């Protein structure tokens, strides 16, 4: 494992916030997690690996899987779907609903908006049934997707989170993993489908019950949840000045307690930390040795601006290093993750940030390998 020391930039000033921030009490939010998605730092964690029933937060995975299928061309937003007799019989006005009628014809775009904005149980079922042919196939793909993205402590037994005899569970850490994948892999779809204040279908307009939208600056989703078994929970995010935070609160006894905790928690995340810009997008940070390549090394760059959250008014002693298993073997593709920028500080949460190759490096031919070997003697 190679490590390279780096210089530390200065701290940028933070604009003052008007809202008084606070970490939620254990009573208001037994499970609480706040992560700076920009830096990868965990700003606060309580019971983040404790399994809990997510209720309608489950629909985040249904939404993400729909985004993946849209990206692969397996479904499209203007595809027309018919509400089946089975879906109507099982989910007619059961819990949160978009009031789908038997035989209704609507688009995939409308279904996804119904899921993300009004938490439609019926919409979730109809979407899964139409996209994969059966709910059983949709659930299998939901769980395969969870495994593929490292959600090792999550399982989905329904497409909508309705009580299912304990077949659905998640952790706060896994939900943040899911939110990260959704936002980074599908930013345009996230902007289009998530965070709308209301949704209208069949002449019925319903509000989004997200506790942050319209109340916390920069808030744009993601999903609330409630059942009597699960209590009240929320997976949410907000972005300000290029800094995006993702939070989970769960296990609250009331919607009021959850909403209060979520609003104060998100404001605390922005108010309690300054922003230290480390590197700009595509800025060269270091290089890594390449074995059997057409070039002996490859530049490492940040795929996006890298900024660190540091405690308010602190000037931390930050140590930066590059870590990678080296030398790296060719071929290498531009944008491929090669290394990790590791950030340590006594006064700030640690961070591990991916670094990618700045250019393609092809496998060396026989003559180039000889040249590389000779050059290696003089390094």
């Amino acid at each position: 494992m190679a490590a390279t020391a780096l210089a530390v930039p200065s701290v940028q000033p933070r604009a003052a916030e008007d809202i008084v921030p606070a970490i939620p009490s254990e009573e208001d939010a037994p499970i609480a997690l706040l992560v700076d998605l920009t830096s990868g730092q965990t700003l606060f964690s309580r019971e983040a690996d404790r399994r809990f029933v997510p209720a309608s937060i489950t629909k985040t995975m249904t939404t993400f899987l729909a985004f993946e299928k849209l990206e692969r061309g397996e479904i499209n937003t203007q595809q027309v779907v018919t509400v089946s007799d089975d879906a109507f019989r099982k989910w007619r006005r059961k819990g949160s609903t978009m009031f789908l009628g038997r035989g209704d014809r609507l688009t995939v775009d409308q279904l996804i908006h119904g899921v993300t904005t009004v938490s439609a149980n019926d919409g979730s079922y109809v979407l899964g049934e139409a996209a994969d042919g059966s709910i059983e196939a949709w659930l299998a793909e939901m769980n395969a997707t969870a495994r593929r993205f490292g959600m090792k402590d999550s399982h989905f037994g329904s497409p909508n989170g309705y009580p299912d005899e304990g077949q659905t569970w998640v952790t706060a850490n896994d939900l943040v993993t899911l939110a990260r994948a959704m936002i980074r892999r599908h930013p345009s779809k996230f902007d289009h489908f998530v965070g709308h204040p209301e949704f209208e279908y069949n002449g019925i307009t319903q509000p989004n019950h997200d506790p942050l939208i319209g109340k916390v600056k920069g808030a744009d989703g993601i999903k609330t949840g409630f059942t009597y078994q699960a209590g009240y929970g929320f997976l949410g995010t907000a972005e300000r000045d290029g800094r995006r935070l993702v939070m989970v609160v769960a296990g609250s006894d009331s919607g009021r307690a959850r909403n209060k905790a979520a609003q104060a928690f998100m404001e605390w995340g922005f108010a309690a930390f300054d922003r230290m810009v480390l590197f700009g997008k595509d800025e060269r940070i270091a290089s890594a040795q390449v074995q059997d390549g057409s070039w002996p090394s490859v530049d490492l760059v940040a795929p996006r601006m890298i900024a660190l959250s540091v405690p308010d008014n602190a000037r931390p002693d930050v140590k930066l290093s590059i870590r990678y298993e080296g030398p790296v073997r060719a071929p290498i593709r531009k944008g491929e993750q090669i290394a990790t920028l590791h950030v340590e500080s006594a006064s700030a949460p640690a961070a591990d940030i991916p670094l990618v190759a700045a250019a393609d490096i092809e496998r060396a031919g026989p003559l180039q390998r000889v040249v590389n070997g000779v050059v290696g003697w003089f390094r």
Side-chain angles (χ1 to χ4, degrees):
M1 180 76 75
T4 305
L6 299 174
V8 180
S10 60
V11 177
Q12 291 188 343
R14 175 187 55 81
E17 296 288 350
D18 295 330
I19 299 174
V20 177
I23 296 172
S25 69
E26 191 169 355
E27 180 180 4
D28 285 343
I31 297 171
L33 177 64
L34 185 65
V35 174
D36 185 330
L37 211 61
T38 309
S39 67
Q41 294 167 277
T42 296
L43 305 182
F44 180 84
S45 177
R46 179 165 62 227
E47 299 285 359
D49 288 318
R50 171 179 157 190
R51 290 182 177 181
F52 67 94
V53 177
S56 284
I57 302 175
T58 297
K59 292 162 188 155
T60 308
M61 176 55 84
T62 285
T63 301
F64 178 66
L65 181 52
F67 288 1
E68 292 281 288
K69 285 182 167 292
L70 286 169
E71 190 70 21
R72 296 193 296 260
E74 296 175 16
I75 57 175
N76 68 80
T77 56
Q78 298 311 305
Q79 178 180 334
V80 176
V81 174
T82 301
V83 178
S84 68
D85 289 345
D86 182 62
F88 178 76
R89 183 177 64 256
K90 288 180 177 178
W91 294 103
R92 180 176 181 269
R93 300 193 177 188
K94 192 172 183 179
S96 52
T97 177
M98 59 188 291
F99 298 100
L100 294 175
R102 187 193 306 271
D104 275 5
R105 290 172 56 80
L106 70 165
T107 64
V108 166
D109 186 271
Q110 288 175 301
L111 281 172
I112 299 176
H113 272 108
V115 172
T116 58
T117 308
V118 300
S119 194
N121 286 330
D122 49 358
S124 301
Y125 191 93
V126 171
L127 177 62
E129 192 177 57
D132 267 346
S134 72
I135 290 300
E136 291 73 21
W138 180 263
L139 291 177
E141 196 162 1
M142 287 175 71
N143 287 308
T145 301
R147 291 191 297 271
R148 182 159 60 100
F149 285 92
M151 298 173 63
K152 58 184 177 61
D153 289 310
S154 296
H155 185 268
F156 299 98
S158 78
N160 52 30
Y162 203 79
D164 58 6
E165 299 180 348
Q167 295 304 301
T168 300
W169 64 82
V170 297
T171 66
N173 272 327
D174 279 359
L175 287 179
V176 168
T177 296
L178 178 59
R180 180 185 294 111
M182 174 182 281
I183 293 165
R184 288 186 177 171
R185 288 173 65 85
H186 305 291
S188 61
K189 296 178 184 65
F190 183 85
D191 290 343
H192 178 71
F193 286 108
V194 179
H196 295 276
E198 61 183 25
F199 174 73
E200 185 271 333
Y201 177 74
N202 257 356
I204 301 171
T205 300
Q206 300 182 73
N208 190 333
H209 293 292
D210 185 296
L212 302 189
I213 293 174
K215 298 179 176 65
V216 172
K217 179 183 175 183
D220 51 4
I222 300 173
K223 193 71 201 70
T224 57
F226 165 72
T227 65
Y228 289 109
Q229 176 190 13
Y232 292 82
F234 178 58
L235 167 65
T237 182
E239 184 174 26
R240 294 181 190 170
D241 301 321
R243 182 172 173 235
R244 180 173 287 280
L245 306 185
V246 174
M247 57 159 288
V248 177
V249 291
S252 300
D253 288 336
S254 70
R256 184 175 182 275
R258 175 198 62 192
N259 295 352
K260 175 185 173 184
Q263 292 163 14
F265 200 20
M266 187 63 78
E267 289 292 358
W268 175 83
F270 284 110
F273 294 86
D274 282 319
R275 185 178 184 227
M276 175 189 287
V277 175
L278 302 177
F279 300 98
K281 184 178 184 296
D282 295 328
E283 181 178 348
R284 181 187 180 280
I285 297 172
S287 63
Q289 291 182 338
V290 177
Q291 183 173 332
D292 294 334
S294 57
W295 198 253
S297 65
V298 61
D299 285 345
L300 303 177
V301 300
R304 54 192 164 273
M305 184 188 69
I306 297 176
L308 184 67
S309 287
V310 298
D312 188 22
N313 297 321
R315 303 193 71 84
D317 178 19
V318 176
K319 297 179 181 179
L320 309 178
S321 61
I322 302 294
R323 296 180 175 182
Y324 68 95
E325 294 291 341
V328 183
R329 289 182 176 274
I332 297 167
R333 293 290 165 253
K334 181 178 180 179
E336 178 183 348
Q337 182 177 343
I338 299 297
T340 299
L341 174 64
H342 182 70
V343 185
E344 289 184 354
S345 172
S347 57
D352 288 296
I353 302 163
L355 301 178
V356 302
D360 291 338
I361 304 292
E362 302 299 335
R363 192 182 300 277
L367 178 59
Q368 184 65 49
R369 284 200 296 270
V370 172
V371 172
N372 290 347
V374 173
V375 171
W377 283 102
F378 297 97
R379 287 180 184 168

